[in-house]
Amino acid sequence: MVTLSQLSKSSGREHLCCFLTKIFKKPPVKMAAQRIAVVTGGNKGIGFGVMKELCAKFDGIVYLTARDEGRGRAAIEELKKLGPSARFHQLDIDNAESIATFADYIKKTYGGFDVLVNNAAIAYKTAATEPFGEQAENTVRVNFFGTLAVCRSLFPLLRPHARVSTVSSSAGHLLNINGDEPAASALRQKFSSPSLTEEELCDLMNQFVKKANDGSWKAAGWPNGSYVVSKVGVSALTRVQQRAFDADSRPDIVVNNCHPGYVDTDMSSHKGPLTIEEGAACVAYLALLPPNIKEPRGAYLWYDKQIVDWVNGPVPSFV
């Protein structure tokens, strides 16, 4: 016990500080980390629909990211009507510097995050006049390699029980690799291999671009659609990523992908029968899966939330 006479000595201030600390100091309260969700390409279409769903249902901050800052901030103004949870940060999935800047921001500001929705993508119109090789190169670069680059930068920041929801397409089903046989069957076998690696998958995507440029893609087994190949690649990537998460020291990180349906958006030239809200439903469902679920994990889902056999089908109705 420290006496008052001891406190009056030259070291009294130190004793007093220690004495009062022992009496009054409470153990620090550990605050729960702020939960964070990120949506790429969130300023319009399905991405904006997902933003609305997450703003209504996710218990944390939801980041709308977009390539164009003006359009992104305009979308945030719309979302403010639903509450204060939406924030904006610029992110171009086709720009390495932009990806690195965003990853650094999330790391320094929050230390990690909890939900990633890979939505940003491009598609050429049916009537596009650009050479097929050019379409293939641009579409695969953005839709597949851009998504992969985002994942590689942001996955180290995912917290335990994180969820990744990737937007694929009906075009992304493996049976759409339907070029000339037997080459097409050999490609499908490679894509569906349970031991497929990221590097091998990247090599397959680059092979397609090369064949598209030299005009031999059909004979090599590839289909007549660069968007198809880009989305098959994204769906295959989901399976590879889930296997890696299953071996990760962080528990219960889950990634899935889905066909959102044929939605009334700019990408579909507003021909889709589904509303943006209907198209966002399965994407948001996968982003909000509860902890420790058994399935879906690394799965391919239809817009109505049913799990579809990505390798063998059957493929549900194309809506």
Side-chain angles (χ1 to χ4, degrees):
M1 176 67 71
V2 179
T3 66
L4 291 176
S5 61
Q6 288 176 310
L7 292 175
S8 65
K9 296 181 180 180
S10 60
S11 60
R13 290 182 181 178
E14 296 178 6
H15 284 298
L16 178 60
C17 180
C18 182
F19 178 69
L20 294 176
T21 297
K22 289 180 179 179
I23 295 176
F24 297 110
K25 186 177 181 180
K26 295 180 180 179
V29 178
K30 187 175 182 180
M31 302 296 290
Q34 176 71 64
R35 298 194 76 219
I36 304 296
V38 174
V39 179
T40 69
N43 62 291
K44 65 177 183 176
I46 293 170
F48 188 72
V50 173
M51 283 295 305
K52 290 197 291 185
E53 281 283 298
L54 295 187
C55 284
K57 299 176 180 178
F58 181 71
D59 58 338
I61 297 172
V62 186
Y63 271 90
L64 183 157
T65 70
R67 178 178 55 186
D68 186 285
E69 184 165 349
R71 292 175 182 175
R73 294 195 182 280
I76 287 292
E77 290 303 312
E78 284 293 312
L79 291 168
K80 284 182 178 178
K81 301 172 184 177
L82 303 176
S85 62
R87 310 279 175 86
F88 173 76
H89 198 288
Q90 194 275 341
L91 174 62
D92 180 357
I93 71 166
D94 193 31
N95 184 294
E97 183 178 353
S98 175
I99 295 171
T101 297
F102 180 66
D104 186 60
Y105 170 79
I106 292 294
K107 183 177 181 179
K108 289 181 177 178
T109 307
Y110 303 105
F113 73 115
D114 306 276
V115 170
L116 173 62
V117 177
N118 288 311
N119 168 72
I122 65 168
Y124 282 85
K125 301 298 183 183
T126 304
T129 58
E130 291 86 350
F132 186 66
E134 180 181 334
Q135 294 185 36
E137 188 168 344
N138 292 334
T139 305
V140 169
R141 188 189 70 249
V142 175
N143 294 1
F144 177 78
F145 286 105
T147 297
L148 176 60
V150 168
C151 291
R152 284 178 170 175
S153 289
L154 294 182
F155 276 10
L157 303 178
L158 290 173
R159 295 169 178 151
H161 308 288
R163 299 290 179 257
V164 180
S165 176
T166 298
V167 178
S168 183
S169 167
S170 60
H173 194 280
L174 184 60
L175 294 180
N176 289 310
I177 300 297
N178 57 7
D180 292 350
E181 294 291 356
S185 292
L187 285 174
R188 291 194 297 271
Q189 187 173 8
K190 290 177 181 178
F191 273 112
S192 62
S193 170
S195 61
L196 181 70
T197 66
E198 272 191 12
E199 290 72 22
E200 291 168 341
L201 179 55
C202 289
D203 184 58
L204 283 169
M205 304 306 286
N206 284 324
Q207 285 179 33
F208 165 68
V209 173
K210 181 180 179 181
K211 295 297 182 181
N213 275 298
D214 68 22
S216 64
W217 73 88
K218 190 73 172 176
W222 299 101
N224 289 320
S226 57
Y227 184 77
V228 169
V229 176
S230 74
K231 288 301 186 178
V232 168
V234 164
S235 294
L237 180 62
T238 298
R239 291 156 55 94
V240 175
Q241 290 171 334
Q242 187 60 61
R243 289 197 295 270
F245 284 145
D246 288 343
D248 198 290
S249 61
R250 296 165 295 178
D252 187 41
I253 299 181
V254 175
V255 55
N256 292 287
N257 70 114
C258 73
H259 162 50
Y262 194 27
V263 182
D264 180 6
T265 64
D266 290 347
M267 187 175 286
S268 70
S269 298
H270 300 282
K271 295 178 180 178
L274 300 183
T275 66
I276 286 172
E277 289 74 21
E278 290 171 324
C282 186
V283 184
Y285 161 74
L286 294 176
L288 297 170
L289 288 172
N292 303 311
I293 52 141
K294 299 300 181 184
E295 63 176 23
R297 301 173 72 94
Y300 175 79
L301 279 73
W302 217 240
Y303 73 96
D304 60 2
K305 304 174 187 175
Q306 67 170 304
I307 298 174
V308 175
D309 185 337
W310 181 72
V311 176
N312 302 303
V315 179
S317 60
F318 283 86
V319 177

